[in-house]
Amino acid sequence: MTDPETGEIQTIRESYEVEVPYNFYILNINLSSQSLYSVVYPRMSADQREMYLVYMDTKGNKQYFGNPFTFNWPSHVTSLYGWRVHPITDRLQIHRGLDLGVALGTPIQSIHDGEVVRVGYDASGYGNYVVIADKDGYRSTYAHCSSILVTEGQSVLRGQAIAKAGSTGASTGSHLHLELTLNGQYLNPYFFIEGTDPYTPPDVGGTNGAYTDYDIPPEALSDPTFAALIKEAEKYLGYPYVWGGSTPSTSFDCSGFVCWVFKNSGVYPLSRTTAQGIFDQCAIIPPSEAKPGDIVFFTGTYDSIGPVSHVAIYVGDGMMIHAGNPIQYASMNTSYFQSHFYAFGRLPRR
């Protein structure tokens, strides 16, 4: 404002408050906590609960003992620890070890330091076997060996060659049956021996060349044997790839899927084995003679000890059904499968 007498300009500042009506709300929240166990465990299958309890018991200590081989072993699992239908007796019984399918003569290493306390032969069971014990109460047993490289009373070190893989005793193919006990109590070797991450087949989990819905030509299905095979195989379309898996409850890896389908369709009594093990039972046929129901083999899909690393069931017209990720139909004419193709094989007809 301007002073009328002096002409000075003065500035006067005033402040005031204005009340503005508004609404407010109070949100009351009650928080409760639950353990992961109480949330997850009730939702697990029986097999998942067993695996979970072992994980908790061992604290995930998978690398306590060494690798029985010089290569990655998980992809060679042919039978896990636990209940199974015995491949010879066809009876349900407990399997107290881990079976690893490998080529005849593959060197077997001791998984821990210790003393050789038993070298023996069991014609109706272990075949040639070795038992090693250490000062902490652990014992490891290596069965079905083709030859033994150590003697009783000998001290051995972790990683030392002690035997060679074979198929002696009650066995359906070359493999190592590995058992582990602590003070007489059986342990699941899978959770204790050193290994790397399991194999997941490359280029079979995407959409390139893959089909979960495929119509097989009717003329192929006129063969009752092939029709039975496909009827069983298609039950598992969309199941995830699970390394070492060999039943619907665990899902499947490539060889587990093929073995299950042939056996449970009644087409051929193919016991659980590796892709290489299936190949070894087949008559090799030229691609020009391949027909639906034959088996197709691939090589170099991962670092396997034998040349065959992946297996599928041929359905004709350049198509196959296999345990990709998930189980699916796939075209053999993709660049990936063409570059890894190994051979066609045919199992004996019953």
Side-chain angles (χ1 to χ4, degrees):
M1 60 178 291
T2 302
D3 188 322
E5 296 181 359
T6 64
E8 292 180 357
I9 298 176
Q10 296 180 350
T11 300
I12 300 175
R13 299 180 182 274
E14 295 182 353
S15 62
Y16 58 92
E17 295 181 356
V18 177
E19 291 188 2
V20 178
Y22 63 93
N23 297 324
F24 65 90
Y25 304 89
I26 298 175
L27 178 62
N28 294 314
I29 300 176
N30 293 321
L31 298 178
S32 61
S33 64
Q34 290 180 280
S35 67
L36 181 62
Y37 171 88
S38 66
V39 174
V40 175
Y41 190 79
R43 294 171 169 79
M44 293 180 182
S45 66
D47 288 343
Q48 289 171 333
R49 289 181 181 183
E50 180 183 4
M51 299 287 270
Y52 171 82
L53 292 174
V54 174
Y55 267 123
M56 296 302 293
D57 185 49
T58 63
K59 305 298 188 293
N61 192 10
K62 186 176 174 181
Q63 287 76 42
Y64 190 84
F65 293 101
N67 190 332
F69 302 115
T70 58
F71 50 85
N72 181 21
W73 59 262
S75 58
H76 293 266
V77 174
T78 56
S79 187
L80 294 167
Y81 181 98
W83 288 98
R84 68 169 184 176
V85 175
H86 194 281
I88 295 178
T89 66
D90 209 33
R91 294 180 179 178
L92 183 67
Q93 66 183 66
I94 189 73
H95 183 230
R96 300 190 183 279
L98 182 68
D99 286 353
L100 303 171
V102 293
L104 182 70
T106 300
I108 299 169
Q109 302 179 154
S110 175
I111 62 173
H112 60 133
D113 297 347
E115 179 183 334
V116 178
V117 295
R118 184 72 186 271
V119 172
Y121 179 77
D122 176 11
S124 60
Y126 287 158
N128 293 318
Y129 68 97
V130 182
V131 181
I132 296 174
D134 67 18
K135 59 182 178 59
D136 297 319
Y138 288 98
R139 285 191 175 217
S140 55
T141 301
Y142 312 78
H144 306 299
C145 305
S146 61
S147 61
I148 306 298
L149 307 179
V150 292
T151 57
E152 288 188 13
Q154 180 178 342
S155 295
V156 296
L157 299 175
R158 171 172 167 162
Q160 180 178 337
I162 57 172
K164 293 185 177 181
S167 187
T168 56
S171 172
T172 60
S174 179
H175 72 289
L176 166 64
H177 171 82
L178 177 64
E179 292 182 1
L180 183 64
T181 63
L182 173 60
N183 298 324
Q185 297 296 312
Y186 283 93
L187 304 174
N188 186 342
Y190 170 81
F191 295 99
F192 289 86
I193 61 176
E194 186 177 66
T196 57
D197 291 336
Y199 156 66
T200 300
D203 199 44
V204 296
T207 58
N208 184 24
Y211 305 81
T212 55
D213 184 15
Y214 172 72
D215 293 327
I216 295 175
E219 58 269 21
L221 295 173
S222 64
D223 178 355
T225 299
F226 176 65
L229 197 69
I230 290 304
K231 182 179 180 181
E232 181 65 25
E234 287 192 332
K235 293 178 183 178
Y236 314 109
L237 284 170
Y239 277 44
Y241 177 93
V242 175
W243 69 273
S246 58
T247 68
S249 62
T250 62
S251 199
F252 302 93
D253 63 12
C254 66
S255 55
F257 174 66
V258 172
C259 291
W260 176 273
V261 168
F262 270 90
K263 183 176 182 179
N264 288 276
S265 64
V267 172
Y268 185 79
L270 186 57
S271 297
R272 178 68 165 106
T273 185
T274 62
Q276 182 69 52
I278 298 172
F279 177 83
D280 293 342
Q281 299 179 55
C282 287
I284 306 308
I285 56 176
S288 60
E289 297 180 13
K291 62 182 182 180
D294 287 336
I295 301 177
V296 57
F297 300 95
F298 299 91
T299 187
T301 56
Y302 74 105
D303 187 18
S304 61
I305 190 170
V308 178
S309 59
H310 192 63
V311 60
I313 299 171
Y314 185 61
V315 301
D317 290 340
M319 295 291 294
M320 62 185 182
I321 187 170
H322 72 138
N325 196 15
I327 292 175
Q328 60 194 239
Y329 283 103
S331 171
M332 291 179 55
N333 296 321
T334 63
S335 60
Y336 177 81
F337 284 119
Q338 285 292 303
S339 65
H340 291 282
F341 174 77
Y342 189 71
F344 279 102
R346 183 173 297 162
L347 288 166
R349 290 295 179 102
R350 300 183 69 182

